[in-house]
Amino acid sequence: AQKAAAAPAEKADSSSAKAEAPKASSNDVAPTSAPAPKASNVVTVGNRWIGNSAYVFGGGRSQSDINRGLFDCSSFVHWAYSQVGVNLGPLGSVSTETLKHAGTQVSSSQMQPGDLVFFDTYKKDGHVGIYVGGGKFIGAQSSTGVAIANMSSGYWKQKFNGRVVRI
C-alpha cells in the first residue's frame, strides 16, 4: 500500500535543531484564521524526531509507538499539535481525511508556518505535513521517517495539491 508509493528519499534539513520546543498553554486552543502564537512551536516540536524515527503506516496511534518514534503522516501531525495543547480529535481515528476538515481551508498563496499541507500520493490527500516556511514542511515520510522536506521542487512539488488547512 503506502510503501509501494514511497517517495524518493528526501533529506532532512541539517540546520534543524533537535531540541523540543516549549509547550503552549492548553488554555489557548481556539482555532483562528490568523496564525496562532503556537504556530512557531508546532513547526519545531517535531524536530526531536528527525533522524530517530521511522515511518509505519498506521503507526503512532499508541503511546508505545510514539515513545519509539513510529509514526505515519497523520499521527505525527496529531502528536505535534497535541504537544502545543491542540486536540485534533481521537488519536485512534486520525487520518488525512479527518485532518483536512480539522480547521479552515486557506489559499496556498496565504500559507503560513503551522498550516497543514496536503499531497496526492497513493490517493487524493494521501499525505499531510506541517508547513515550516521557506517552501518546506515537516512530516513523517515513508522514505525518511520524520524529516523536513522541500515542497518547492522535485517529488513533493509534483505531489502538492494546493490544499492548505489552518488549525
Side-chain angles (χ1 to χ4, degrees), residues 7-8 10-13 16 42-44 47 50 73 76-77 111-121 127-160:
E10 294 286 336
K11 298 292 182 203
D13 183 350
S16 296
V42 80
V43 301
T44 59
N47 288 352
I50 294 173
C73 63
F76 172 75
V77 166
M111 220 171 4
Q112 296 177 359
D115 290 344
L116 303 185
V117 289
F118 290 81
F119 304 85
D120 293 344
T121 53
H127 188 70
V128 63
I130 302 167
Y131 186 65
V132 299
K136 296 181 179 184
F137 74 98
I138 187 169
Q141 279 71 256
S142 60
S143 58
T144 59
V146 175
I148 294 176
N150 187 343
M151 58 187 281
S152 298
S153 64
Y155 179 84
W156 293 112
K157 180 179 182 177
Q158 293 171 4
K159 298 298 182 178
F160 178 55

Side-chain angles (χ1 to χ4, degrees), residues 77 95-112 114-121 123-131 136-137 151 156-167:
V77 166
S95 67
T96 56
E97 189 66 26
T98 64
L99 291 174
K100 77 180 186 182
H101 299 291
T104 304
Q105 301 265 334
V106 297
S107 166
S108 60
S109 66
Q110 302 295 314
M111 220 171 4
Q112 296 177 359
D115 290 344
L116 303 185
V117 289
F118 290 81
F119 304 85
D120 293 344
T121 53
K123 67 175 188 172
K124 181 166 182 54
D125 300 316
H127 188 70
V128 63
I130 302 167
Y131 186 65
K136 296 181 179 184
F137 74 98
M151 58 187 281
W156 293 112
K157 180 179 182 177
Q158 293 171 4
K159 298 298 182 178
F160 178 55
N161 64 19
R163 183 183 306 277
V164 179
V165 173
R166 184 155 302 145
I167 300 298

Side-chain angles (χ1 to χ4, degrees), residues 68-91:
R68 295 182 305 162
L70 304 176
F71 296 99
D72 67 10
C73 63
S74 55
S75 67
F76 172 75
V77 166
H78 187 283
W79 173 85
Y81 270 92
S82 74
Q83 298 304 292
V84 298
V86 177
N87 181 350
L88 294 178
L91 178 59

